[in-house]
Amino acid sequence: KNQVEQSPQSLIILEGKNCTLQCNYTVSPFSNLRWYKQDTGRGPVSLTIMTFSENTKSNGRYTATLDADTKQSSLHITASQLSDSASYICVVSQSYIPTFGRGTSLIVHP
Amino acid sequence: DTAVSQTPKYLVTQMGNDKSIKCEQNLGHDTMYWYKQDSKKFLKIMFSYNNKELIINETVPNRFSPKSPDKAHLNLHINSLELGDSAVYFCASSQDRGLAGVAGELFFGEGSRLTVL
C-alpha cells in the first residue's frame, strides 16, 4: 500500500533558527515528490517538486532533498521567519495519483 | 483574478439537509479535484474529473455527488448531511492527469468549512 509518513508531527522553533522536516514514502513506481505549504485557513501551495533524478532543489530559504534509493525526502528551512508558521505536506505521486502525508505543523515563535 | 475559487467559504447547517459547494478555476486546467481535510489536517482525495469525465472516485458515500458542467467548474452536492461530514473541503485543479507520467502541480482553492450541527 502506498504510504507517505512525515515527522515530526509538530515542531516549535524560535525565529531565526533552522529546521528540517522529514518525509518517508513507499509509493511505487515513483513519479515525483512535492512539498506543499498550507497556511492556517488557506489552501496548500506548492514549494518544490523533485523527480527521480534530482536530489536537491531550492526555493529561497526552503531546500528539499530526495534520496530515491532510501525513499526519503527532507525539507530544510533556513533562518526561519514568523511567516513560516504553517503545515508542510509531503505529496508523492505515482503517475497521476498523488499520495498525501499527514503534514508537519511548524510554529515559529518570536 | 483568483485562480481557484470556491463558495461558500463557510457553511453551517443541520443534519439531514442538502448543500452544495461550487468551484471554478480560471487557469485553463484540464483536471479538477475535491479533497476533504479532517480535523487532523489530513487531505484525502474524494473525486477527480478530467475534461468533465470522472477519473477518480474514492470510497465516498453516494450522498456525495460531484458535477462538472464544463472543465472550468466542479461542484459538490451533499445529500442528507451527517455530523461526520463536518470538515474543510478543498477544490483543486492541475494542468493534466499525468498522461506523460508526471503528476501536475495542484492548485488549491481557499477551502469551504462545512459544519453540520
Side-chain angles (χ1 to χ4, degrees):
Chain A
K1 181 180 177 182
N2 290 330
Q3 286 188 316
V4 176
E5 300 288 340
Q6 291 188 243
S7 62
Q9 185 175 347
S10 61
L11 183 61
I12 301 174
I13 62 174
L14 290 175
E15 187 179 11
K17 297 296 185 183
N18 303 336
C19 66
T20 300
L21 314 180
Q22 300 290 344
C23 173
N24 296 340
Y25 62 91
T26 60
V27 175
S28 182
F30 173 87
S31 173
N32 63 50
L33 183 149
R34 293 182 186 271
W35 283 93
Y36 285 81
K37 178 187 179 189
Q38 184 177 17
D39 292 317
T40 301
R42 309 292 295 273
V45 175
S46 178
L47 289 174
T48 63
I49 175 176
M50 304 187 73
T51 57
F52 187 86
S53 59
E54 298 173 301
N55 56 24
T56 187
K57 183 78 69 79
S58 290
N59 177 1
R61 293 179 297 102
Y62 301 102
T63 299
T65 64
L66 173 66
D67 185 333
D69 292 330
T70 61
K71 298 186 177 181
Q72 295 179 326
S73 176
S74 65
L75 180 69
H76 185 77
I77 304 175
T78 303
S80 61
Q81 300 177 358
L82 298 180
S83 59
D84 293 330
S85 294
S87 179
Y88 292 84
I89 304 169
C90 177
V91 181
V92 185
S93 293
Q94 173 192 40
S95 183
Y96 65 90
I97 303 173
T99 300
F100 282 71
R102 291 185 173 270
T104 292
S105 176
L106 174 66
I107 298 174
V108 180
H109 277 313
Chain B
D1 58 347
T2 304
V4 180
S5 59
Q6 47 183 116
T7 56
K9 189 171 176 64
Y10 299 98
L11 190 52
V12 181
T13 188
Q14 299 285 335
M15 276 176 50
N17 285 349
D18 303 339
K19 290 294 177 186
S20 293
I21 307 173
K22 296 185 176 181
C23 180
E24 175 182 4
Q25 56 96 2
N26 62 6
L27 297 168
H29 289 166
D30 292 330
T31 307
M32 295 186 72
Y33 311 78
W34 276 108
Y35 283 85
K36 179 180 180 181
Q37 188 169 46
D38 60 25
S39 58
K40 296 184 178 180
K41 303 295 183 71
F42 182 54
L43 275 161
K44 186 175 181 181
I45 191 166
M46 301 173 69
F47 303 101
S48 175
Y49 272 74
N50 178 264
N51 276 319
K52 301 193 299 175
E53 177 189 349
L54 181 65
I55 57 171
I56 295 177
N57 184 353
E58 293 297 301
T59 307
V60 177
N62 57 15
R63 298 181 294 103
F64 291 77
S65 53
K67 283 188 171 51
S68 182
D70 55 61
K71 76 173 192 176
H73 295 84
L74 180 61
N75 304 322
L76 183 65
H77 188 75
I78 315 170
N79 289 328
S80 303
L81 279 157
E82 301 177 357
L83 293 177
D85 298 332
S86 295
V88 182
Y89 292 85
F90 283 97
C91 176
S93 71
S94 65
Q95 178 60 41
D96 58 56
R97 59 172 172 142
L99 293 176
V102 178
E105 176 182 354
L106 292 166
F107 290 80
F108 287 87
E110 297 287 88
S112 295
R113 180 176 292 276
L114 172 66
T115 302
V116 182
L117 303 175

mmCIF file of all heavy atoms in Angstrom, chain B residues 59-102:
data_model
loop_
_atom_site.group_PDB
_atom_site.id
_atom_site.type_symbol
_atom_site.label_atom_id
_atom_site.label_comp_id
_atom_site.label_asym_id
_atom_site.label_seq_id
_atom_site.Cartn_x
_atom_site.Cartn_y
_atom_site.Cartn_z
ATOM 1 N N THR B 59 -13.556 5.892 -2.152
ATOM 2 C CA THR B 59 -14.655 5.336 -1.368
ATOM 3 C C THR B 59 -15.336 6.464 -0.620
ATOM 4 O O THR B 59 -14.926 6.836 0.484
ATOM 5 C CB THR B 59 -14.131 4.276 -0.384
ATOM 6 O OG1 THR B 59 -13.368 3.330 -1.096
ATOM 7 C CG2 THR B 59 -15.286 3.604 0.322
ATOM 8 N N VAL B 60 -16.320 7.033 -1.265
ATOM 9 C CA VAL B 60 -17.062 8.148 -0.693
ATOM 10 C C VAL B 60 -18.543 7.763 -0.700
ATOM 11 O O VAL B 60 -19.018 7.184 -1.679
ATOM 12 C CB VAL B 60 -16.839 9.424 -1.546
ATOM 13 C CG1 VAL B 60 -17.665 10.576 -1.019
ATOM 14 C CG2 VAL B 60 -15.368 9.794 -1.577
ATOM 15 N N PRO B 61 -19.273 8.059 0.380
ATOM 16 C CA PRO B 61 -20.712 7.734 0.379
ATOM 17 C C PRO B 61 -21.408 8.332 -0.828
ATOM 18 O O PRO B 61 -21.062 9.430 -1.289
ATOM 19 C CB PRO B 61 -21.203 8.376 1.687
ATOM 20 C CG PRO B 61 -19.996 8.457 2.550
ATOM 21 C CD PRO B 61 -18.830 8.685 1.635
ATOM 22 N N ASN B 62 -22.399 7.617 -1.354
ATOM 23 C CA ASN B 62 -23.068 8.129 -2.552
ATOM 24 C C ASN B 62 -23.967 9.317 -2.249
ATOM 25 O O ASN B 62 -24.654 9.820 -3.147
ATOM 26 C CB ASN B 62 -23.837 7.010 -3.268
ATOM 27 C CG ASN B 62 -24.850 6.343 -2.380
ATOM 28 O OD1 ASN B 62 -25.190 6.872 -1.315
ATOM 29 N ND2 ASN B 62 -25.327 5.190 -2.786
ATOM 30 N N ARG B 63 -23.956 9.786 -1.002
ATOM 31 C CA ARG B 63 -24.616 11.058 -0.685
ATOM 32 C C ARG B 63 -23.840 12.229 -1.297
ATOM 33 O O ARG B 63 -24.365 13.326 -1.417
ATOM 34 C CB ARG B 63 -24.702 11.246 0.828
ATOM 35 C CG ARG B 63 -25.520 10.186 1.562
ATOM 36 C CD ARG B 63 -25.578 10.471 3.052
ATOM 37 N NE ARG B 63 -24.284 10.357 3.713
ATOM 38 C CZ ARG B 63 -23.542 11.393 4.082
ATOM 39 N NH1 ARG B 63 -23.960 12.626 3.863
ATOM 40 N NH2 ARG B 63 -22.382 11.205 4.690
ATOM 41 N N PHE B 64 -22.582 11.965 -1.636
ATOM 42 C CA PHE B 64 -21.749 12.989 -2.256
ATOM 43 C C PHE B 64 -21.808 12.807 -3.773
ATOM 44 O O PHE B 64 -21.477 11.722 -4.273
ATOM 45 C CB PHE B 64 -20.293 12.860 -1.804
ATOM 46 C CG PHE B 64 -20.077 13.211 -0.361
ATOM 47 C CD1 PHE B 64 -20.420 12.326 0.651
ATOM 48 C CD2 PHE B 64 -19.535 14.439 -0.004
ATOM 49 C CE1 PHE B 64 -20.228 12.654 1.984
ATOM 50 C CE2 PHE B 64 -19.332 14.771 1.322
ATOM 51 C CZ PHE B 64 -19.674 13.878 2.319
ATOM 52 N N SER B 65 -22.203 13.846 -4.473
ATOM 53 C CA SER B 65 -22.290 13.737 -5.928
ATOM 54 C C SER B 65 -21.620 14.945 -6.571
ATOM 55 O O SER B 65 -22.094 16.071 -6.451
ATOM 56 C CB SER B 65 -23.737 13.606 -6.394
ATOM 57 O OG SER B 65 -24.514 14.658 -5.864
ATOM 58 N N PRO B 66 -20.497 14.706 -7.264
ATOM 59 C CA PRO B 66 -19.837 15.795 -7.981
ATOM 60 C C PRO B 66 -20.514 16.014 -9.324
ATOM 61 O O PRO B 66 -21.066 15.083 -9.914
ATOM 62 C CB PRO B 66 -18.416 15.257 -8.170
ATOM 63 C CG PRO B 66 -18.597 13.779 -8.253
ATOM 64 C CD PRO B 66 -19.789 13.431 -7.391
ATOM 65 N N LYS B 67 -20.438 17.259 -9.797
ATOM 66 C CA LYS B 67 -20.981 17.572 -11.120
ATOM 67 C C LYS B 67 -20.040 18.560 -11.806
ATOM 68 O O LYS B 67 -19.672 19.577 -11.227
ATOM 69 C CB LYS B 67 -22.386 18.159 -11.020
ATOM 70 C CG LYS B 67 -23.471 17.126 -10.745
ATOM 71 C CD LYS B 67 -24.856 17.693 -10.840
ATOM 72 C CE LYS B 67 -25.907 16.597 -10.774
ATOM 73 N NZ LYS B 67 -25.737 15.691 -9.631
ATOM 74 N N SER B 68 -19.684 18.250 -13.043
ATOM 75 C CA SER B 68 -18.779 19.105 -13.801
ATOM 76 C C SER B 68 -19.470 19.543 -15.082
ATOM 77 O O SER B 68 -19.424 18.833 -16.087
ATOM 78 C CB SER B 68 -17.481 18.347 -14.121
ATOM 79 O OG SER B 68 -16.574 19.179 -14.814
ATOM 80 N N PRO B 69 -20.083 20.719 -15.066
ATOM 81 C CA PRO B 69 -20.780 21.194 -16.269
ATOM 82 C C PRO B 69 -19.821 21.533 -17.412
ATOM 83 O O PRO B 69 -20.196 21.436 -18.577
ATOM 84 C CB PRO B 69 -21.508 22.447 -15.777
ATOM 85 C CG PRO B 69 -20.790 22.874 -14.554
ATOM 86 C CD PRO B 69 -20.232 21.638 -13.942
ATOM 87 N N ASP B 70 -18.613 21.927 -17.077
ATOM 88 C CA ASP B 70 -17.559 22.170 -18.056
ATOM 89 C C ASP B 70 -16.226 22.034 -17.339
ATOM 90 O O ASP B 70 -16.204 21.897 -16.113
ATOM 91 C CB ASP B 70 -17.691 23.551 -18.716
ATOM 92 C CG ASP B 70 -17.730 24.685 -17.709
ATOM 93 O OD1 ASP B 70 -16.728 24.844 -16.968
ATOM 94 O OD2 ASP B 70 -18.764 25.378 -17.633
ATOM 95 N N LYS B 71 -15.131 22.067 -18.085
ATOM 96 C CA LYS B 71 -13.851 21.722 -17.439
ATOM 97 C C LYS B 71 -13.364 22.792 -16.473
ATOM 98 O O LYS B 71 -12.416 22.584 -15.746
ATOM 99 C CB LYS B 71 -12.792 21.402 -18.492
ATOM 100 C CG LYS B 71 -12.200 22.592 -19.212
ATOM 101 C CD LYS B 71 -11.044 22.120 -20.092
ATOM 102 C CE LYS B 71 -10.251 23.290 -20.598
ATOM 103 N NZ LYS B 71 -9.067 22.851 -21.387
ATOM 104 N N ALA B 72 -14.033 23.953 -16.443
ATOM 105 C CA ALA B 72 -13.629 25.009 -15.517
ATOM 106 C C ALA B 72 -14.407 24.961 -14.200
ATOM 107 O O ALA B 72 -14.113 25.719 -13.285
ATOM 108 C CB ALA B 72 -13.813 26.375 -16.169
ATOM 109 N N HIS B 73 -15.401 24.102 -14.124
ATOM 110 C CA HIS B 73 -16.251 24.036 -12.942
ATOM 111 C C HIS B 73 -16.395 22.601 -12.439
ATOM 112 O O HIS B 73 -16.564 21.674 -13.235
ATOM 113 C CB HIS B 73 -17.657 24.587 -13.255
ATOM 114 C CG HIS B 73 -17.676 26.033 -13.598
ATOM 115 N ND1 HIS B 73 -17.411 26.503 -14.869
ATOM 116 C CD2 HIS B 73 -17.915 27.127 -12.822
ATOM 117 C CE1 HIS B 73 -17.496 27.823 -14.868
ATOM 118 N NE2 HIS B 73 -17.792 28.233 -13.650
ATOM 119 N N LEU B 74 -16.325 22.473 -11.118
ATOM 120 C CA LEU B 74 -16.599 21.174 -10.488
ATOM 121 C C LEU B 74 -17.307 21.461 -9.175
ATOM 122 O O LEU B 74 -16.714 21.999 -8.246
ATOM 123 C CB LEU B 74 -15.304 20.389 -10.238
ATOM 124 C CG LEU B 74 -15.503 19.021 -9.573
ATOM 125 C CD1 LEU B 74 -16.372 18.122 -10.465
ATOM 126 C CD2 LEU B 74 -14.157 18.350 -9.294
ATOM 127 N N ASN B 75 -18.577 21.131 -9.140
ATOM 128 C CA ASN B 75 -19.384 21.390 -7.961
ATOM 129 C C ASN B 75 -19.571 20.105 -7.161
ATOM 130 O O ASN B 75 -19.483 18.999 -7.700
ATOM 131 C CB ASN B 75 -20.742 21.975 -8.367
ATOM 132 C CG ASN B 75 -20.582 23.236 -9.204
ATOM 133 O OD1 ASN B 75 -19.697 24.050 -8.961
ATOM 134 N ND2 ASN B 75 -21.437 23.401 -10.214
ATOM 135 N N LEU B 76 -19.807 20.277 -5.873
ATOM 136 C CA LEU B 76 -20.004 19.124 -4.982
ATOM 137 C C LEU B 76 -21.332 19.277 -4.267
ATOM 138 O O LEU B 76 -21.558 20.271 -3.568
ATOM 139 C CB LEU B 76 -18.860 19.049 -3.964
ATOM 140 C CG LEU B 76 -18.890 17.857 -2.998
ATOM 141 C CD1 LEU B 76 -18.697 16.549 -3.766
ATOM 142 C CD2 LEU B 76 -17.808 18.012 -1.930
ATOM 143 N N HIS B 77 -22.204 18.317 -4.464
ATOM 144 C CA HIS B 77 -23.504 18.322 -3.801
ATOM 145 C C HIS B 77 -23.528 17.212 -2.755
ATOM 146 O O HIS B 77 -23.092 16.087 -3.038
ATOM 147 C CB HIS B 77 -24.631 18.111 -4.817
ATOM 148 C CG HIS B 77 -25.997 18.296 -4.219
ATOM 149 N ND1 HIS B 77 -26.520 19.534 -3.923
ATOM 150 C CD2 HIS B 77 -26.917 17.385 -3.832
ATOM 151 C CE1 HIS B 77 -27.732 19.374 -3.382
ATOM 152 N NE2 HIS B 77 -27.986 18.089 -3.316
ATOM 153 N N ILE B 78 -24.010 17.544 -1.575
ATOM 154 C CA ILE B 78 -24.055 16.566 -0.494
ATOM 155 C C ILE B 78 -25.493 16.436 0.002
ATOM 156 O O ILE B 78 -26.106 17.433 0.405
ATOM 157 C CB ILE B 78 -23.150 16.970 0.687
ATOM 158 C CG1 ILE B 78 -21.784 17.446 0.184
ATOM 159 C CG2 ILE B 78 -22.983 15.790 1.644
ATOM 160 C CD1 ILE B 78 -20.920 18.078 1.252
ATOM 161 N N ASN B 79 -26.014 15.233 -0.052
ATOM 162 C CA ASN B 79 -27.373 14.969 0.433
ATOM 163 C C ASN B 79 -27.346 14.437 1.861
ATOM 164 O O ASN B 79 -26.371 13.823 2.303
ATOM 165 C CB ASN B 79 -28.054 13.907 -0.457
ATOM 166 C CG ASN B 79 -28.387 14.443 -1.827
ATOM 167 O OD1 ASN B 79 -28.688 15.617 -2.003
ATOM 168 N ND2 ASN B 79 -28.317 13.571 -2.822
ATOM 169 N N SER B 80 -28.437 14.682 2.559
ATOM 170 C CA SER B 80 -28.640 14.091 3.897
ATOM 171 C C SER B 80 -27.393 14.217 4.773
ATOM 172 O O SER B 80 -26.814 13.221 5.219
ATOM 173 C CB SER B 80 -29.027 12.605 3.756
ATOM 174 O OG SER B 80 -30.181 12.475 2.963
ATOM 175 N N LEU B 81 -26.970 15.428 5.013
ATOM 176 C CA LEU B 81 -25.729 15.687 5.740
ATOM 177 C C LEU B 81 -25.712 15.016 7.108
ATOM 178 O O LEU B 81 -26.724 14.968 7.824
ATOM 179 C CB LEU B 81 -25.523 17.185 5.887
ATOM 180 C CG LEU B 81 -24.941 17.847 4.640
ATOM 181 C CD1 LEU B 81 -25.248 19.326 4.597
ATOM 182 C CD2 LEU B 81 -23.444 17.595 4.571
ATOM 183 N N GLU B 82 -24.525 14.500 7.458
ATOM 184 C CA GLU B 82 -24.298 13.843 8.744
ATOM 185 C C GLU B 82 -23.218 14.589 9.512
ATOM 186 O O GLU B 82 -22.429 15.341 8.930
ATOM 187 C CB GLU B 82 -23.873 12.387 8.515
ATOM 188 C CG GLU B 82 -24.885 11.563 7.761
ATOM 189 C CD GLU B 82 -24.411 10.146 7.483
ATOM 190 O OE1 GLU B 82 -23.248 9.828 7.835
ATOM 191 O OE2 GLU B 82 -25.191 9.354 6.924
ATOM 192 N N LEU B 83 -23.178 14.350 10.828
ATOM 193 C CA LEU B 83 -22.195 15.028 11.675
ATOM 194 C C LEU B 83 -20.772 14.792 11.166
ATOM 195 O O LEU B 83 -19.934 15.693 11.167
ATOM 196 C CB LEU B 83 -22.314 14.550 13.123
ATOM 197 C CG LEU B 83 -23.595 14.914 13.865
ATOM 198 C CD1 LEU B 83 -23.592 14.307 15.260
ATOM 199 C CD2 LEU B 83 -23.764 16.424 13.939
ATOM 200 N N GLY B 84 -20.507 13.579 10.711
ATOM 201 C CA GLY B 84 -19.174 13.212 10.254
ATOM 202 C C GLY B 84 -18.751 13.891 8.965
ATOM 203 O O GLY B 84 -17.590 13.800 8.563
ATOM 204 N N ASP B 85 -19.678 14.579 8.334
ATOM 205 C CA ASP B 85 -19.335 15.313 7.109
ATOM 206 C C ASP B 85 -18.664 16.641 7.426
ATOM 207 O O ASP B 85 -18.121 17.293 6.522
ATOM 208 C CB ASP B 85 -20.590 15.572 6.264
ATOM 209 C CG ASP B 85 -21.247 14.288 5.792
ATOM 210 O OD1 ASP B 85 -20.532 13.271 5.637
ATOM 211 O OD2 ASP B 85 -22.485 14.297 5.581
ATOM 212 N N SER B 86 -18.687 17.039 8.679
ATOM 213 C CA SER B 86 -18.045 18.297 9.076
ATOM 214 C C SER B 86 -16.549 18.216 8.777
ATOM 215 O O SER B 86 -15.862 17.307 9.253
ATOM 216 C CB SER B 86 -18.263 18.571 10.564
ATOM 217 O OG SER B 86 -19.629 18.775 10.850
ATOM 218 N N ALA B 87 -16.067 19.156 8.002
ATOM 219 C CA ALA B 87 -14.663 19.160 7.567
ATOM 220 C C ALA B 87 -14.449 20.396 6.709
ATOM 221 O O ALA B 87 -15.381 21.169 6.463
ATOM 222 C CB ALA B 87 -14.344 17.901 6.758
ATOM 223 N N VAL B 88 -13.215 20.548 6.253
ATOM 224 C CA VAL B 88 -12.926 21.570 5.255
ATOM 225 C C VAL B 88 -12.777 20.865 3.913
ATOM 226 O O VAL B 88 -12.004 19.914 3.786
ATOM 227 C CB VAL B 88 -11.644 22.361 5.586
ATOM 228 C CG1 VAL B 88 -11.419 23.442 4.530
ATOM 229 C CG2 VAL B 88 -11.741 22.987 6.969
ATOM 230 N N TYR B 89 -13.506 21.320 2.926
ATOM 231 C CA TYR B 89 -13.479 20.721 1.591
ATOM 232 C C TYR B 89 -12.692 21.645 0.671
ATOM 233 O O TYR B 89 -12.987 22.838 0.573
ATOM 234 C CB TYR B 89 -14.896 20.497 1.076
ATOM 235 C CG TYR B 89 -15.620 19.437 1.873
ATOM 236 C CD1 TYR B 89 -16.280 19.749 3.060
ATOM 237 C CD2 TYR B 89 -15.609 18.103 1.457
ATOM 238 C CE1 TYR B 89 -16.915 18.767 3.813
ATOM 239 C CE2 TYR B 89 -16.240 17.119 2.206
ATOM 240 C CZ TYR B 89 -16.888 17.457 3.381
ATOM 241 O OH TYR B 89 -17.497 16.482 4.132
ATOM 242 N N PHE B 90 -11.688 21.066 0.013
ATOM 243 C CA PHE B 90 -10.853 21.830 -0.892
ATOM 244 C C PHE B 90 -11.078 21.381 -2.326
ATOM 245 O O PHE B 90 -11.051 20.192 -2.634
ATOM 246 C CB PHE B 90 -9.363 21.649 -0.559
ATOM 247 C CG PHE B 90 -8.907 22.424 0.631
ATOM 248 C CD1 PHE B 90 -8.832 21.809 1.873
ATOM 249 C CD2 PHE B 90 -8.541 23.758 0.519
ATOM 250 C CE1 PHE B 90 -8.417 22.517 2.991
ATOM 251 C CE2 PHE B 90 -8.123 24.473 1.626
ATOM 252 C CZ PHE B 90 -8.062 23.856 2.869
ATOM 253 N N CYS B 91 -11.241 22.371 -3.176
ATOM 254 C CA CYS B 91 -11.240 22.128 -4.611
ATOM 255 C C CYS B 91 -9.825 22.395 -5.108
ATOM 256 O O CYS B 91 -9.114 23.258 -4.560
ATOM 257 C CB CYS B 91 -12.236 23.073 -5.271
ATOM 258 S SG CYS B 91 -12.285 22.988 -7.072
ATOM 259 N N ALA B 92 -9.390 21.673 -6.112
ATOM 260 C CA ALA B 92 -8.061 21.877 -6.688
ATOM 261 C C ALA B 92 -8.108 21.610 -8.181
ATOM 262 O O ALA B 92 -9.036 20.968 -8.686
ATOM 263 C CB ALA B 92 -7.024 20.978 -6.023
ATOM 264 N N SER B 93 -7.113 22.112 -8.881
ATOM 265 C CA SER B 93 -7.002 21.815 -10.302
ATOM 266 C C SER B 93 -5.545 21.568 -10.644
ATOM 267 O O SER B 93 -4.639 21.970 -9.909
ATOM 268 C CB SER B 93 -7.562 22.963 -11.154
ATOM 269 O OG SER B 93 -6.708 24.089 -11.107
ATOM 270 N N SER B 94 -5.316 20.876 -11.763
ATOM 271 C CA SER B 94 -3.959 20.680 -12.263
ATOM 272 C C SER B 94 -4.001 20.664 -13.775
ATOM 273 O O SER B 94 -5.049 20.421 -14.384
ATOM 274 C CB SER B 94 -3.337 19.381 -11.725
ATOM 275 O OG SER B 94 -4.025 18.251 -12.206
ATOM 276 N N GLN B 95 -2.827 20.878 -14.385
ATOM 277 C CA GLN B 95 -2.763 21.016 -15.826
ATOM 278 C C GLN B 95 -3.184 19.750 -16.548
ATOM 279 O O GLN B 95 -3.872 19.778 -17.545
ATOM 280 C CB GLN B 95 -1.334 21.392 -16.259
ATOM 281 C CG GLN B 95 -1.149 21.519 -17.751
ATOM 282 C CD GLN B 95 -2.052 22.588 -18.337
ATOM 283 O OE1 GLN B 95 -2.216 23.657 -17.748
ATOM 284 N NE2 GLN B 95 -2.658 22.301 -19.471
ATOM 285 N N ASP B 96 -2.736 18.609 -16.036
ATOM 286 C CA ASP B 96 -3.115 17.353 -16.669
ATOM 287 C C ASP B 96 -3.162 16.265 -15.630
ATOM 288 O O ASP B 96 -2.837 16.492 -14.475
ATOM 289 C CB ASP B 96 -2.136 16.986 -17.799
ATOM 290 C CG ASP B 96 -0.718 16.882 -17.281
ATOM 291 O OD1 ASP B 96 -0.480 16.096 -16.346
ATOM 292 O OD2 ASP B 96 0.147 17.596 -17.795
ATOM 293 N N ARG B 97 -3.559 15.109 -16.036
ATOM 294 C CA ARG B 97 -3.655 13.994 -15.083
ATOM 295 C C ARG B 97 -2.467 13.059 -15.226
ATOM 296 O O ARG B 97 -2.541 11.896 -14.917
ATOM 297 C CB ARG B 97 -4.953 13.219 -15.291
ATOM 298 C CG ARG B 97 -5.122 12.625 -16.666
ATOM 299 C CD ARG B 97 -6.328 11.735 -16.681
ATOM 300 N NE ARG B 97 -6.655 11.285 -18.009
ATOM 301 C CZ ARG B 97 -7.091 10.063 -18.264
ATOM 302 N NH1 ARG B 97 -7.242 9.209 -17.306
ATOM 303 N NH2 ARG B 97 -7.389 9.707 -19.504
ATOM 304 N N GLY B 98 -1.364 13.623 -15.699
ATOM 305 C CA GLY B 98 -0.134 12.851 -15.724
ATOM 306 C C GLY B 98 -0.069 11.865 -16.858
ATOM 307 O O GLY B 98 0.515 10.792 -16.716
ATOM 308 N N LEU B 99 -0.648 12.228 -18.010
ATOM 309 C CA LEU B 99 -0.588 11.303 -19.140
ATOM 310 C C LEU B 99 0.852 11.029 -19.537
ATOM 311 O O LEU B 99 1.172 9.985 -20.074
ATOM 312 C CB LEU B 99 -1.371 11.882 -20.328
ATOM 313 C CG LEU B 99 -2.884 11.991 -20.109
ATOM 314 C CD1 LEU B 99 -3.550 12.655 -21.306
ATOM 315 C CD2 LEU B 99 -3.482 10.622 -19.878
ATOM 316 N N ALA B 100 1.734 12.032 -19.249
ATOM 317 C CA ALA B 100 3.142 11.820 -19.548
ATOM 318 C C ALA B 100 3.846 11.162 -18.384
ATOM 319 O O ALA B 100 5.058 11.056 -18.359
ATOM 320 C CB ALA B 100 3.806 13.158 -19.879
ATOM 321 N N GLY B 101 3.095 10.746 -17.407
ATOM 322 C CA GLY B 101 3.688 10.064 -16.270
ATOM 323 C C GLY B 101 4.142 10.994 -15.170
ATOM 324 O O GLY B 101 4.735 10.572 -14.210
ATOM 325 N N VAL B 102 3.858 12.274 -15.301
ATOM 326 C CA VAL B 102 4.265 13.237 -14.279
ATOM 327 C C VAL B 102 3.018 13.939 -13.765
ATOM 328 O O VAL B 102 2.335 14.626 -14.523
ATOM 329 C CB VAL B 102 5.244 14.288 -14.848
ATOM 330 C CG1 VAL B 102 5.621 15.294 -13.776
ATOM 331 C CG2 VAL B 102 6.465 13.604 -15.412
#
